[in-house]
Amino acid sequence: MSTIEKNIAKVAARIREAAQAVGRDPASVGLLAVSKTQPAAAIREAAEAGIRDFGENYLQEALDKQAELGELPLTWHFIGPIQSNKTKPIAEHFDWVHSVDRLKIAQRLSDQRPAELPPLNICLQVNVSGEASKSGCAPEELPQLAQAVAAMPRLRLRGLMCIPAPSEDPAEQRVAFARLRALRDELPLTLDTLSMGMSQDLEAAIAEGATWVRIGTALFGARDYGRPQ
Ligand SMILES: *Cc1c(COP(=O)(O)O)cnc(C)c1O
């Protein structure tokens, strides 16, 4: 087994154990492989081991890898910050966007989603830890943003996403994830998705209802940001 195959098996076991610990079906937790900074060869290897969903943060890097891997039947998720001049290629080349945090971006994605493609799956990113520098809409802004996005014709609002302030304490990790779940449950909409949990805190996220865990380091190893992006 290659390192990536071994890592996939380890992460799958963590997901299974975390789900079973709280009486959830492990199949209700999707594994989104976060492949930012990783070469196309690593994605190919993970795909050969059965991974279908890949998350990318940097648009040009993602487009280059998609072009290289075009023959593979992969589902692409955009999970990074979005500048408004980048929405068109995102609308054209991705199946999901997890990091929508303002109306203008959502409107542009809806306007620019090609007619021949299905509606773009959307998660609204919420700043659950209240850090000034973090992306994500404020919890108070969420109901209005969600209503507006749910009405956009070329978007399909699926749920919420968060990146809480890092914490080593599982109880503290759960507080942030529970907050995202509560915000989802309080909306007057039926949303099936909670995109939360990364390599360090996937157990806490699954305990609080994650339906996508976004895993980079635990699958691919440490990232090398020296690589051109
Ligand atoms: C990089 C990244 C991840 C993966 O983080 P790891 O700690 O490497 O698992 C998940 N979500 C987002 C939004 C990211 O940018």
Side-chain angles (χ1 to χ4, degrees):
M1 271 215 263
S2 71
T3 305
I4 289 179
E5 280 178 288
K6 282 185 207 148
N7 288 345
I8 291 171
K10 279 188 214 157
V11 169
R14 284 177 65 188
I15 292 173
R16 198 170 52 241
E17 282 161 27
Q20 284 166 351
V22 293
R24 294 185 58 195
D25 178 0
S28 67
V29 184
L31 172 55
L32 174 53
V34 175
S35 45
K36 65 179 177 223
T37 80
Q38 304 296 342
I43 296 177
R44 188 181 295 282
E45 209 181 318
E48 279 163 9
I51 304 287
R52 282 291 163 268
D53 290 273
F54 291 89
E56 290 280 344
N57 297 56
Y58 309 109
L59 180 61
Q60 192 53 53
E61 179 197 330
L63 296 177
D64 290 346
K65 288 188 274 187
Q66 288 174 348
E68 213 174 316
L69 298 164
E71 84 285 6
L72 294 178
L74 304 180
T75 299
W76 292 96
H77 301 243
F78 194 83
I79 63 173
I82 306 172
Q83 294 165 313
S84 57
N85 62 348
K86 301 283 174 62
T87 51
K88 189 160 187 282
I90 293 174
E92 290 171 347
H93 293 278
F94 287 82
D95 304 293
W96 284 73
V97 180
H98 293 232
S99 43
V100 172
D101 63 1
R102 56 198 197 276
L103 195 58
K104 179 182 176 190
I105 296 295
Q107 188 65 61
R108 291 176 65 93
L109 290 171
S110 183
D111 292 345
Q112 293 168 334
R113 180 66 168 173
E116 68 276 14
L117 295 179
L120 185 58
N121 293 295
I122 298 291
C123 293
L124 299 176
Q125 184 176 350
V126 186
N127 183 351
V128 286
S129 307
E131 295 164 284
S133 63
K134 273 280 170 74
S135 343
C137 77
E140 312 81 75
E141 297 165 355
L142 178 65
Q144 219 183 347
L145 180 62
Q147 291 285 7
V149 171
M152 291 182 186
R154 301 294 296 137
L155 303 184
R156 183 168 171 219
L157 181 60
R158 298 296 297 270
L160 305 182
M161 179 272 224
C162 70
I163 311 173
S167 164
E168 308 256 291
D169 173 10
E172 211 170 272
Q173 292 168 358
R174 280 186 67 159
V175 169
F177 296 134
R179 184 130 192 255
L180 194 72
R181 182 177 62 177
L183 287 168
R184 194 259 321 252
D185 293 345
E186 285 159 14
L187 290 172
L189 298 163
T190 306
L191 301 178
D192 61 16
T193 299
L194 287 173
S195 169
M196 57 189 198
M198 314 200 293
S199 294
Q200 301 293 347
D201 54 15
L202 71 87
E203 284 84 1
I206 289 170
E208 296 298 343
T211 61
W212 283 120
V213 289
R214 307 181 310 269
I215 309 299
T217 314
L219 290 176
F220 297 111
R223 285 181 286 275
D224 177 4
Y225 282 99
R227 187 176 176 276
Q229 280 153 16

